[in-house]
Amino acid sequence: VSMVLQAFGGDAQRAIAYLAKSLDIASEADLARLGVRVRCAGMWLDIHAPDEFRFAVRSVPVTRELQEAHRTVLARLVSGLESLPENFTEAEIIPTLKTMLEGTSLAPTDFFPTAYDLLLDRSQGPKLSTLLATLGAARSLSLLRASL
């Protein structure tokens, strides 16, 4: 819940709408409970969450000069995202994440900091597949394409 809330810039209503749709929550009672959870997660983030747990999605894309192998992997990630619907699931991006490093000398620990930098302005973050699915294709692509 806290990851989704942060992905939506702290906007509780957008987080609730996303989670309700993702979790197929429809009853008023379940929506009310979800609203309480989201508000509690927001308070926890504001008061208790360690700095390394907090993140903010970039509002403006940044352009980075990348080494060739990083650019190749980023291009594969962008291509994989372009082939997906806007509201793809985490399971739909995993095949791209599993194969995008093939034929390069990079390991996930070499490339993922680049992706997190482009998305979050930091070297690490929540599980990349979850983050990308939460952001959606358009938002992810707008932040990643700038460095191609």
Side-chain angles (χ1 to χ4, degrees):
V1 173
S2 62
M3 191 281 300
V4 171
L5 185 58
Q6 290 180 95
F8 288 110
D11 185 332
Q13 293 305 318
R14 286 179 60 205
I16 290 167
Y18 175 84
L19 289 165
K21 184 176 179 183
S22 298
L23 301 171
D24 200 25
I25 295 174
S27 79
E28 290 299 318
D30 288 342
L31 283 171
R33 281 191 290 276
L34 179 60
V36 170
R37 287 187 67 192
V38 168
R39 285 189 294 285
C40 287
M43 288 189 296
W44 179 80
L45 285 165
D46 290 342
I47 299 168
H48 301 291
D51 288 340
E52 61 271 7
F53 190 83
R54 298 176 193 178
F55 68 88
V57 178
R58 285 185 184 274
S59 57
V60 178
V62 64
T63 301
R64 298 280 193 237
E65 291 295 323
L66 301 177
Q67 297 174 353
E68 189 59 34
H70 285 82
R71 184 180 312 284
T72 297
V73 174
L74 179 60
R76 291 174 183 170
L77 176 57
V78 165
S79 177
L81 286 166
E82 289 171 338
S83 72
L84 295 174
E86 170 57 27
N87 296 313
F88 63 90
T89 65
E90 186 175 357
E92 290 174 300
I93 191 62
I94 287 176
T96 297
L97 295 175
K98 284 185 174 182
T99 61
M100 67 185 185
L101 298 167
E102 290 177 356
T104 72
S105 60
L106 299 177
T109 54
D110 299 321
F111 176 75
F112 281 23
T114 300
Y116 287 121
D117 173 49
L118 298 174
L119 297 166
L120 306 177
D121 191 22
R122 55 187 305 164
S123 62
Q124 55 187 345
K127 186 177 174 186
L128 189 56
S129 58
T130 305
L131 178 63
L132 292 169
T134 302
L135 296 178
R139 193 166 175 206
S140 298
L141 286 166
S142 72
L143 295 170
L144 296 170
R145 280 187 182 131
S147 289
L148 285 180

